[in-house]
Amino acid sequence: SGVYSSLANIYYEKDKDVEKAMQVYALGRERFPNDLNLLLMETNLFLGESMTEEALENLQQAARIDTTNPTIFFAIGAKYNEVVDDTTKTDEMRQDAFEKAIIAYLKSISLKPDYFDPNYNIGALYVNKASTVISSANELPIEEQKKYDALMEEANTYLETCLPYLEKAHELQPEDISTLVSLKEIYTRLGMLEKMKEIDAKLESQ
């Protein structure tokens, strides 16, 4: 199988011939359907060419071949994450991708609890979700108080849900600015003022 990946790589990297590279991968995959390395090399080509659906299909297959690899599940989550962030997609598609991204990240964390990226990304997904809900609440007319309160409660639930993951991410990479900023936002919104002051101090010392 190494012959196929080497040959495809030459076509792709040296000759910039995507079509030829894809043909070689397809032949290799036909002969060695369970070869994880070949599968992931082909996936990298799909990722490089923005072929999201093909990449996801491959990643799902990789997850079936190797159920213990946290990186594969993180990569699946990250691909669904792109769909969530894609405003050209329908709300339904983005919501479905949101749920699938969370499942993949959680699987990745269950295999490797001290993995920064999925912990941070779960946090970011929920923070963005909360921000969207807060924006909707702020657009309501003044007489829609009940609806406003319900939306703000929903937003707070998202923030409470993601807090342990962002706190874990902070524990794993204490200097990461994005994590600190997200935590400050959450602590402020949830009225956790002592913790907010701690984060403020850390941000100031950066």
Side-chain angles (χ1 to χ4, degrees):
S1 67
V3 175
Y4 289 100
S5 44
S6 302
L7 187 59
N9 206 33
I10 289 166
Y11 281 132
Y12 188 51
E13 297 294 339
K14 288 216 169 74
D15 303 344
K16 307 289 177 214
D17 192 332
V18 178
E19 215 160 291
K20 272 255 174 69
M22 280 168 67
Q23 284 169 3
V24 174
Y25 279 130
L27 281 170
R29 293 283 321 285
E30 218 171 284
R31 284 200 64 186
F32 303 99
N34 288 328
D35 187 296
L36 191 62
N37 184 49
L38 197 57
L39 177 65
L40 292 174
M41 295 272 292
E42 184 186 47
T43 307
N44 282 336
L45 182 147
F46 290 152
L47 293 172
E49 297 302 311
S50 303
M51 297 164 72
T52 302
E53 277 174 36
E54 290 84 350
L56 262 174
E57 214 168 287
N58 269 16
L59 286 166
Q60 298 283 13
Q61 200 176 329
R64 288 192 289 275
I65 296 169
D66 184 354
T67 55
T68 61
N69 188 330
T71 315
I72 291 172
F73 289 98
F74 170 69
I76 292 171
K79 278 327 280 177
Y80 279 122
N81 218 144
E82 281 181 25
V83 179
V84 178
D85 296 338
D86 185 349
T87 50
T88 65
K89 299 275 190 276
T90 66
D91 288 351
E92 207 175 353
M93 283 170 83
R94 291 172 75 192
Q95 179 57 30
D96 179 58
F98 176 87
E99 286 159 17
K100 284 177 174 160
I102 297 287
I103 289 166
Y105 288 145
L106 288 174
K107 176 72 176 168
S108 181
I109 292 167
S110 73
L111 292 165
K112 188 182 176 189
D114 61 349
Y115 192 172
F116 171 82
D117 298 296
N119 276 293
Y120 174 77
N121 279 22
I122 281 186
L125 269 176
Y126 277 114
V127 167
N128 292 343
K129 192 97 168 141
S131 298
T132 307
V133 174
I134 290 164
S135 294
S136 301
N138 288 334
E139 282 166 17
L140 289 170
I142 199 98
E143 61 273 14
E144 294 266 21
Q145 188 62 42
K146 247 190 173 148
K147 202 171 181 188
Y148 175 87
D149 291 343
L151 285 174
M152 293 309 268
E153 204 174 307
E154 185 189 335
N156 285 348
T157 305
Y158 289 135
L159 296 177
E160 284 159 11
T161 304
C162 75
L163 196 49
Y165 299 102
L166 281 172
E167 285 178 336
K168 181 69 177 175
H170 175 54
E171 183 192 309
L172 293 166
Q173 288 191 22
E175 305 299 309
D176 185 73
I177 294 284
S178 303
T179 311
L180 287 167
V181 169
S182 294
L183 281 172
K184 181 183 173 176
E185 192 184 318
I186 295 171
Y187 290 144
T188 306
R189 287 218 77 90
L190 297 178
M192 300 166 76
L193 299 182
E194 284 308 309
K195 293 215 167 195
M196 192 265 280
K197 282 178 198 161
E198 272 174 45
I199 295 292
D200 245 351
K202 285 177 184 172
L203 279 166
E204 276 167 28
S205 69
Q206 288 285 344

